[in-house]
Amino acid sequence: MAASSNSSLSGSSVSSDAEEYQPPIWKSYLYQLQQEAPRPKRIICPGEVENRPKYYGREFHGIISREKADELLGGVEGAYILRESQRQPGCYTLALRFGNQTLNYRLFYDGKHFVGEKRFESIHDLVTDGLITLYIETKASEYISKMTTNPIYEHIGYATLLREKVSRRLSRSKNESRKASVTNEEHTPVEKVHTFRGPHWCEYCANFMWGLIAQGVRCSDCGLNVHKQCSKHVPNDCQPDLKRIKKVYCCDLTTLVKAHNTQRPMVVDICIREIEARGLKSEGLYRVSGFTEHIEDVKMAFDRDGEKADISANIYPDINIITGALKLYFRDLPIPVITYDTYSKFIEAAKISNADERLEAVHEVLMLLPPAHYETLRYLMIHLKKVTMNEKDNFMNAENLGIVFGPTLMRPPEDSTLTTLHDMRYQKLIVQILIENEDVLF
């Protein structure tokens, strides 16, 4: 069950001038479709089946006809059984209910289960992946066919020319950049099919990489992650010395935390420590913007050096550069801190007029956040509460911070300008409530 599908939402428009760099817009449409896909429902055989292969479970019903299989599935979307072919004994079939019809696939096993190129440890995983693929292909075939028409590849750090101006400003990497551009002029990257753990987005088209396994390909040199169909459009211009790029920014929050075995992303901890050490009394903290080029330098420092990135006052005396880098980190997340799954619930909670009921509703939705998202949000709110405690110096209260962080921490699943504008006051209110009540809510 190969995958290739989608529908159409707006893409990202990013200036090719490095000095006007804007973060890519990670498109959530395919992610939402994967969340909506039917779930597998195993139909168990009530009795023992003779000669059942040891690698099949009770979803195996023995030798039965297609008509009988259709009857057993009962028209339930996502229901499946395994059967042995009446016409070809010893051959096995997966009967799967999808789209108001029963689909039959020849099933194979060589230590892993497969019906096509992908191989799975269990039938359940095979069916889950298949339902995701079928659902996305059904709902979004036209979208997928157009995914490569508005690429973000040149704007995310792998294309060497885009970052040339920024690289010149980084004295310690200046010589390395020149050396790499010469030594790798004839380099051809090797791309391998890769299974991504946790949500990942294609770094060519900015769309979600759907499925359970083998969702795309990864360049063995620079680490670029793209859809298989997008890989045909990627220029052979990557540089092996850029392997470590994008290990912090633009990476799924849960994936990053698990990879580094931390409670929160390192960039959040390091930036907040720096801000609290020297910036809590700075007027307009988080509202005043830092110089874009310097914010981009901080981002590149984290992507390059990780927790060893130097963002001290000696390098960046303007604290607004550090606050800008932290806000950029949150904006760059493929799945926002307040996730797409919980977005509408938070908005509905914000609309409740009774303050006590509203607070209780917000608390209930908070419990639905993934652990890494919850912990990151908790830590940030404690920090922002400290910011408000210095309001007489920085002139930033919870409402002002809500205006700044509302659209930074949460955005609607559908890429709709109208929805975003309509929800802005509720986004602000949610963040304001979280700050003012952080000791109660977390």
Side-chain angles (χ1 to χ4, degrees), residues 239-258:
Q239 296 185 3
D241 66 318
L242 296 181
K243 269 184 183 178
R244 292 175 292 170
I245 202 164
K246 270 182 36 56
K247 294 299 182 184
V248 176
Y249 282 72
C250 301
C251 179
D252 173 65
L253 196 155
T254 298
T255 302
L256 182 69
V257 165
K258 287 183 177 180

Side-chain angles (χ1 to χ4, degrees), residues 188-419:
T188 301
V190 177
E191 294 172 338
K192 296 181 179 179
V193 174
H194 188 79
T195 293
F196 300 95
R197 302 301 178 189
H200 270 74
W201 271 251
C202 176
E203 292 159 349
Y204 182 83
C205 72
N207 282 287
F208 179 66
M209 301 172 76
W210 65 91
L212 290 190
I213 67 167
Q215 302 96 327
V217 298
R218 168 174 287 176
C219 177
S220 59
D221 284 328
C222 69
L224 180 72
N225 303 317
V226 295
H227 291 112
K228 190 173 182 179
Q229 60 265 48
C230 290
S231 66
K232 301 171 186 176
H233 302 273
V234 177
N236 293 335
D237 63 353
C238 74
Q239 296 185 3
D241 66 318
L242 296 181
K243 269 184 183 178
R244 292 175 292 170
I245 202 164
K246 270 182 36 56
K247 294 299 182 184
V248 176
Y249 282 72
C250 301
C251 179
D252 173 65
L253 196 155
T254 298
T255 302
L256 182 69
V257 165
K258 287 183 177 180
H260 291 273
N261 194 27
T262 57
Q263 286 186 300
R264 300 172 296 274
M266 69 179 77
V267 64
V268 175
D269 282 2
I270 295 172
C271 285
I272 286 179
R273 275 201 305 268
E274 191 68 25
I275 294 163
E276 292 186 354
R278 59 183 174 99
L280 286 178
K281 297 183 184 296
S282 177
E283 184 175 342
L285 190 66
Y286 285 112
R287 179 180 55 79
V288 176
S289 300
F291 193 39
T292 303
E293 287 186 358
H294 293 166
I295 292 173
E296 181 64 15
D297 283 350
V298 173
K299 171 183 175 177
M300 293 181 68
F302 277 116
D303 284 335
R304 183 185 61 245
D305 302 327
E307 61 186 12
K308 295 180 180 179
D310 185 357
I311 61 170
S312 65
N314 294 332
I315 309 297
Y316 303 106
D318 182 4
I319 197 64
N320 298 311
I321 294 169
I322 309 305
T323 59
L326 181 59
K327 289 187 292 182
L328 178 61
Y329 170 76
F330 290 129
R331 289 198 302 271
D332 264 0
L333 287 172
I335 300 176
V337 175
I338 292 178
T339 60
Y340 294 125
D341 292 343
T342 60
Y343 178 87
S344 61
K345 296 181 178 65
F346 273 109
I347 295 298
E348 290 305 311
K351 294 178 180 178
I352 298 174
S353 56
N354 182 279
D356 291 336
E357 292 178 4
R358 184 172 58 217
L359 193 64
E360 182 60 31
V362 170
H363 181 262
E364 288 179 4
V365 185
L366 277 174
M367 296 300 103
L368 301 178
L369 289 174
H373 288 250
Y374 177 90
E375 173 57 25
T376 300
L377 187 62
R378 183 193 69 83
Y379 191 73
L380 177 64
M381 292 305 117
I382 292 173
H383 164 65
L384 294 181
K385 186 66 170 287
K386 294 178 183 177
V387 173
T388 65
M389 292 168 66
N390 289 272
E391 181 186 353
K392 61 182 179 60
D393 296 305
N394 60 37
F395 301 104
M396 294 300 290
N397 57 27
E399 183 178 5
N400 293 336
L401 290 169
I403 294 171
V404 173
F405 277 95
T408 300
L409 297 177
M410 57 193 301
R411 52 185 184 266
E414 66 279 3
D415 190 5
S416 165
T417 303
L418 186 62
T419 301

